Amino acid sequence: MPADSISRMDSNGSGGDNDKSVPQNILGTSPGTSSLRSRTDSECSDKMARFVLPSMDGSPPKVMTLDEVTHVFKNIQNMELVHEIALNPEFKLQPYEPPENSLEKRIKDCMHKAFWDILREQLSADPPSYEHAIQLLAEIKECFPQIISLNNKRALEHINEILNETVIRQQAEKGVLDFRSYADFVVHIMSKSCAPARDEEMQKLAQTEDVVDTFKGILEMMKLMKLDMANFLLDFSRNEILANSVEYEKQKFNEYLEYYKFGFPATENWLRRNRSADAGNSAATAEQTISNAYMELMDWPGNFDFPEILSTDKERILKLGQRAKRLCVGASLIAICSAVPIISQRSENRIALAKQIEILLQSVTDEKEIAEAIENVWEQIKSVINQYLQKENQSTMDTEAESMLRSQIMQIANRESPVRQLMWKRFQAFFRLSLRSKAGLPPPPPGYVDFKDELESYTTALKRVIGYNHSVFGEYFLQILSQRPTEANDESASKPSAPSEDQSTPSQQ
């Protein structure tokens, strides 16, 4: 069956009409479909297609329909979601699947199998029956507005013309319906409309000979294309969200302060204990104090309450702290290993060893786990160094050299060890420079060159969190620090406790 050429959606998801604007109902269905028609067991016209918003800061994942996703992105109402999108460039919707062995999944699998078995039986009958096939094509037609931009009117008109249910029924009644040609038409349209990343899958689908298997593949691909379209909408909305979310959160926070007059003790303590003095014993400025407080987020001291105002990002910040520990430990280990000539004099050996150490430490989250992991790291370091020595026909480490190196390696399990303390100070100095820099990041400090990618990724992530929160709460921080100590103490003595972190915080309102 001939098919008009339909332009592929470009990388931004725009349609063939080159209309740069995205319609309000980009994820909508065709007109007149506000009330759901009954679906077949194939669920191919799944207007209630569901997507999973990944877990944010320990909250359970949320399952949403296409309409709900569209509504959330159009209206900056869910502050937790907006906050996550603004701070997490990797945030994506995920396809929803019922839990394994759940009743929902068993019923779904059973109904789908029954549908495809009936379709195969009807097509194999003599003469063939096309009732299920016609219903399937009608529902596939209804899916296209969800995977092709509604700006591409010509493509959608062409699809409606070819997949005209009346014409298809007439062909079936006359015995001239070519079900295979319709499958090829649908695959052709989808190939023109899908993202480039789906090209290989579409090529395999086009080569599938069994027509029922082809349509099963079509529905699976349409499900993926719906997900692609939903994530395109998210990406399209991201810049607008970023442009407005800071002001929106500031507004919500100020509204919160209008009726919440009791202050935030943990936040105030966090700021005030970072009010250091310079060499001349002069008090630090408010800006310096805030900068010092942000530096404390690199490795949050567990004996202090976490600032209430930052509670939305608490889990994110603590996880970044774990990454910082791993980076420091890795750099410390490489610094010690560099005392061995086969490591220090062969950059390729040092780089390879750093990668292996990074892998061995990737699941470490606290000091106890660091201590437990160091023994395995030592065994790997010893094995690798001896392999490098043997490769160059040198003698492996003797007992004394091995014992000395092991002793130095094992000391890294102690966060107070001189090498680890030195590497942490270098790390802090690097991050402080990065906070001040409005351009790119400074070069890695000594010992961190082999961890450059992770160092820059970590720094960018924490700097983004700090920058965003400072934009929202910076004025309030200055207000806290502008109070005289006696005034602040008098106020705090008369204040009831602030809400716990389990209660709503301003940025979650």
Side-chain angles (χ1 to χ4, degrees), residues 363-488:
S363 61
V364 168
T365 60
D366 56 34
E367 292 298 326
K368 181 182 178 181
E369 291 180 0
I370 289 174
E372 294 170 351
I374 289 294
E375 185 66 45
N376 290 332
V377 172
W378 156 245
E379 292 296 333
Q380 182 67 15
I381 288 173
K382 179 178 68 173
S383 174
V384 168
I385 289 177
N386 284 331
Q387 287 176 17
Y388 289 151
L389 290 170
Q390 291 175 337
K391 186 177 180 180
E392 296 193 10
N393 298 317
Q394 299 183 40
S395 299
T396 58
M397 291 186 292
D398 58 32
T399 303
E400 182 179 356
E402 187 176 299
S403 177
M404 183 179 297
L405 183 60
R406 182 184 185 280
S407 175
Q408 294 174 335
I409 293 294
M410 298 307 293
Q411 287 180 26
I412 300 303
N414 179 6
R415 63 183 298 159
E416 303 301 327
S417 69
V419 173
R420 192 166 160 188
Q421 285 285 298
L422 173 63
M423 301 311 294
W424 183 249
K425 288 178 181 177
R426 290 177 177 176
F427 193 2
Q428 287 182 310
F430 171 82
F431 188 73
R432 193 179 288 276
L433 283 174
S434 300
L435 275 181
R436 295 172 181 169
S437 174
K438 295 183 179 179
L441 299 178
Y448 287 87
V449 174
D450 301 317
F451 301 92
K452 182 175 182 291
D453 291 345
E454 173 62 6
L455 178 68
E456 292 182 350
S457 174
Y458 162 84
T459 302
T460 301
L462 184 54
K463 189 176 177 181
R464 183 185 296 116
V465 173
I466 289 172
Y468 187 91
N469 280 285
H470 187 72
S471 297
V472 177
F473 304 116
E475 293 176 3
Y476 182 70
F477 294 161
L478 290 173
Q479 180 183 331
I480 291 174
L481 293 170
S482 67
Q483 293 178 319
R484 295 190 303 274
T486 54
E487 176 187 347

Side-chain angles (χ1 to χ4, degrees), residues 270-293:
W270 167 58
L271 292 170
R272 291 193 175 111
R273 71 169 173 267
N274 282 286
R275 195 195 290 268
S276 59
D278 60 19
N281 206 30
S282 299
T285 65
E287 289 76 10
Q288 290 170 335
T289 298
I290 293 171
S291 178
N292 292 338

Side-chain angles (χ1 to χ4, degrees), residues 84-185:
E84 184 70 18
I85 293 172
L87 288 178
N88 184 3
E90 305 301 322
F91 185 84
K92 294 288 184 184
L93 297 164
Q94 303 294 335
Y96 171 76
E97 288 293 341
E100 285 294 329
N101 301 320
S102 66
L103 178 61
E104 180 184 3
K105 182 170 178 57
R106 291 198 298 271
I107 292 175
K108 177 182 176 181
D109 291 345
C110 182
M111 294 176 70
H112 284 193
K113 183 178 184 303
F115 175 85
W116 296 114
D117 288 346
I118 292 173
L119 177 62
R120 194 179 295 277
E121 288 175 7
Q122 288 185 351
L123 295 179
S124 300
D126 188 16
S129 171
Y130 291 108
E131 189 58 37
H132 263 49
I134 293 171
Q135 193 174 17
L136 179 60
L137 289 172
E139 293 184 345
I140 286 175
K141 181 177 73 172
E142 292 183 2
C143 281
F144 272 111
Q146 299 180 41
I147 62 177
I148 295 179
S149 170
L150 296 186
N151 288 337
N152 202 337
K153 295 179 181 179
R154 286 177 295 180
L156 292 172
E157 288 173 357
H158 182 61
I159 291 166
N160 290 334
E161 178 186 350
I162 298 300
L163 299 182
N164 185 301
E165 188 171 346
T166 301
V167 173
I168 293 172
R169 285 194 177 278
Q170 290 174 352
Q171 292 175 344
E173 291 169 1
K174 296 178 181 179
V176 294
L177 175 61
D178 185 351
F179 197 44
R180 175 79 247 181
S181 69
Y182 281 103
D184 293 340
F185 168 76

